[in-house]
Amino acid sequence: MESWVGHEVPRLPGRGGPLALYDSARQGLLPSTPGGAASMYVCGITPYDATHLGHAATMITFDLVQRVWRDAGLDVRYVQNVTDIDDPLLERAERDGEDWKVLAMRETALFREDMEALRIIPPAHYVGAVESIPEIADKVLLLLKDGAAYRLDDGTGDIYFDVSTAPRFGYESNLTREQMLEIFPERGGDPDRAGKRDPLDPLLWRGARQGEPSWPGGELGAGRPGWHIECAAIALNLLGDRIDVQGGGNDLLFPHHECSAAHAERLTGAAPFAEHYVHAGMIGLNGEKMSKSRGNLVFVSRLRADRVDPMAVRLALVSGHYRSDRTWTDELLVAAQERLGRWRRAAAATAGPSGADVLAGVRARLADDLDTPGAIALADAWADAALAGTGTDRDAPGLFADTVDALLGIRL
Ligand code: 5CA
Ligand code: ZN
């Protein structure tokens, strides 16, 4: 699938240091990527509605990871998926009397525009589930042959993963079985499906149903892929057996990333699937998680249509730390617009305090688990001083603008 168009990223003098990130599996802040290359797989949208600020915040989070890695001199391989076939998409299309393919194409196109406006560096591979069906089916067949998957004998053709064949199951989310059983049905799982070996067994392949789209599955029979195997298969095929970062919002901690990891590890024998499982906090509105099912959404495209500067949206979203669940408010946007104006005026000053210092400071803050509030505080202090006429570094305004552009993705 086509990705979106990227922007030029300014080259900064020198090099950033290694990035430490919080890993949900080991529950600690740990250095990422000791080598010269880094790989990242991020769980992208299910395109049945427009990109909201929650999606945007998560995409910006992993854009920051890519920017910090690049600044440290790493060669970054980044893959993101689009779940362009799944139950929620079919349900929305049915509700609106629309072709599910048209719905998915329209919302994916809008997402690309939003990503471009927010200056998200595009992934090297932007991959749809539909175009990946043959390779996903191959992985399901391997699991079946390996005894890690089984077919229900109710004539549906549905195939499930047997979680008892994944000895590490639970290591990624660190949840108790009781907690898993509670969350599983809230996040697309079907614990009560008759004939399953374990209520937590996730669906790998859904046999063809009357009135639903399906694809030939070879020995599997016609059907469509389950959600977790979609991400496992795409990541394995494009990035290899082990990846540095598996990313998404914290709503994917369980079952999605746990199950994807279990599938991948069973397929390759290599563990852990991801060195870091990185989860962005949920953006909420009026005290509740922003979600398509609740309908409490603020769309990036709506803000753009209202001529809100996308750089102010981006700055508002990174004014809180990526891991914290946070609330979107009008005040947050107003504060970001005001800050953006101040930074722009400061970048136009003839001189300011040391540009090298502000660059080093922002680098250090971001290398510490993407501490954007800390980085912004340093940028604010530099801008305030420059506007007050402090400092004699004539290169500093330009370097300040390049720093916030390259590292925070904020074009002044
Ligand atoms: N297609 C799957 C992932 S494979 C999916 O979860 N799609 S989604 O459209 O629901 O979400 C897209 C991305 O945005 C995911 O990484 C998800 O974790 C994240 N996300 C969803 N809602 C929010 C929110 N309110 N705040 C922050 N991130 C969110
Ligand atoms: Zn995913």
Side-chain angles (χ1 to χ4, degrees):
M1 195 177 266
E2 217 174 302
S3 193
W4 55 92
V5 180
H7 303 267
E8 189 92 13
V9 177
R11 283 187 63 87
L12 297 170
R15 246 186 202 181
L19 170 63
L21 281 172
Y22 186 87
D23 172 36
S24 299
R26 291 169 291 175
Q27 297 183 304
L29 191 63
L30 292 143
S32 68
T33 64
S39 58
M40 173 161 72
Y41 180 90
V42 172
C43 285
I45 55 163
T46 305
Y48 67 90
D49 213 334
T51 322
H52 61 61
L53 290 172
H55 304 136
T58 291
M59 297 311 154
I60 291 168
T61 296
F62 295 98
D63 186 52
L64 294 173
V65 172
Q66 161 142 236
R67 284 169 187 273
V68 173
W69 274 346
R70 283 183 172 206
D71 182 53
L74 299 177
D75 180 17
V76 182
R77 293 185 301 140
Y78 175 24
V79 175
Q80 186 182 134
N81 74 311
V82 191
T83 307
D84 57 357
I85 181 67
D86 203 4
D87 294 345
L89 186 68
L90 296 177
E91 284 158 16
R92 176 62 64 93
E94 170 86 26
R95 189 197 81 178
D96 296 350
E98 190 173 17
D99 182 334
W100 64 272
K101 288 193 218 92
V102 175
L103 173 63
M105 276 170 63
R106 186 179 63 240
E107 299 305 351
T108 305
L110 192 59
F111 175 78
R112 288 194 190 93
E113 279 179 28
D114 291 338
M115 294 300 101
E116 250 171 76
L118 292 167
R119 296 182 85 82
I120 312 274
I121 301 174
H125 299 277
Y126 190 51
V127 191
V130 171
E131 64 186 341
S132 311
I133 286 177
E135 61 192 75
I136 301 170
D138 283 351
K139 300 292 189 207
V140 176
L141 189 61
L142 285 173
L143 290 170
L144 204 55
K145 291 198 163 149
D146 180 39
Y150 60 96
R151 197 188 300 265
L152 291 195
D153 60 10
D154 59 6
T156 57
D158 291 355
I159 298 171
Y160 281 84
F161 181 74
D162 184 338
V163 289
S164 73
T165 66
R168 291 160 56 87
F169 197 75
Y171 85 89
E172 181 271 344
S173 59
N174 290 291
L175 297 175
T176 63
R177 184 172 165 86
E178 211 174 28
Q179 290 169 316
M180 291 183 194
L181 285 166
E182 198 182 314
I183 299 173
F184 192 62
E186 296 164 9
R187 309 250 168 95
D190 54 357
D192 301 326
R193 178 73 191 272
K196 289 209 302 182
R197 293 179 186 164
D198 187 306
L200 292 175
D201 288 349
L203 180 73
L204 287 169
W205 186 256
R206 178 172 164 88
R209 303 289 202 279
Q210 193 68 37
E212 281 185 20
S214 63
W215 289 262
E219 287 179 52
L220 302 179
R224 59 183 163 98
W227 175 31
H228 319 303
I229 190 69
E230 168 194 337
C231 287
I234 296 173
L236 290 177
N237 285 338
L238 288 167
L239 294 171
D241 292 1
R242 305 275 307 270
I243 60 176
D244 290 302
V245 164
Q246 159 70 296
N250 66 18
D251 56 337
L252 302 184
L253 184 70
F254 187 84
H256 187 51
H257 288 168
E258 191 75 65
C259 293
S260 280
H263 298 339
E265 288 165 13
R266 183 72 203 194
L267 282 161
T268 64
F273 166 52
E275 203 54 42
H276 276 74
Y277 295 91
V278 179
H279 293 104
M282 290 293 108
I283 300 296
L285 189 72
N286 306 325
E288 279 202 278
K289 172 194 162 186
M290 207 177 270
S291 75
K292 288 175 267 206
S293 50
R294 288 193 181 88
N296 60 337
L297 307 174
V298 178
F299 296 122
V300 176
S301 44
R302 177 74 248 162
L303 293 171
R304 288 199 288 122
D306 290 343
R307 311 201 70 75
V308 174
D309 187 333
M311 292 297 93
V313 176
R314 184 167 174 131
L315 196 49
L317 289 172
V318 298
S319 64
H321 190 259
Y322 83 89
R323 278 201 287 130
S324 57
D325 292 338
R326 47 210 199 276
T327 300
W328 177 262
T329 59
D330 290 343
E331 294 75 51
L332 198 68
L333 180 60
V334 170
Q337 285 165 325
E338 195 269 332
R339 171 173 282 133
L340 188 62
R342 213 157 9 102
W343 287 8
R344 282 184 173 146
R345 287 194 301 281
T350 48
S354 162
D357 284 358
V358 75
L359 169 59
V362 168
R363 272 181 169 148
R365 285 298 81 236
L366 292 179
D368 180 11
D369 201 25
L370 306 177
D371 175 14
T372 50
I376 288 173
L378 292 176
D380 276 346
W382 183 90
D384 288 345
L387 287 171
T390 314
T392 54
D393 182 351
R394 297 182 72 81
D395 294 330
L399 186 53
F400 171 75
D402 282 353
T403 298
V404 298
D405 185 348
L407 297 178
L408 289 171
I410 304 289
R411 175 93 179 155
L412 299 181

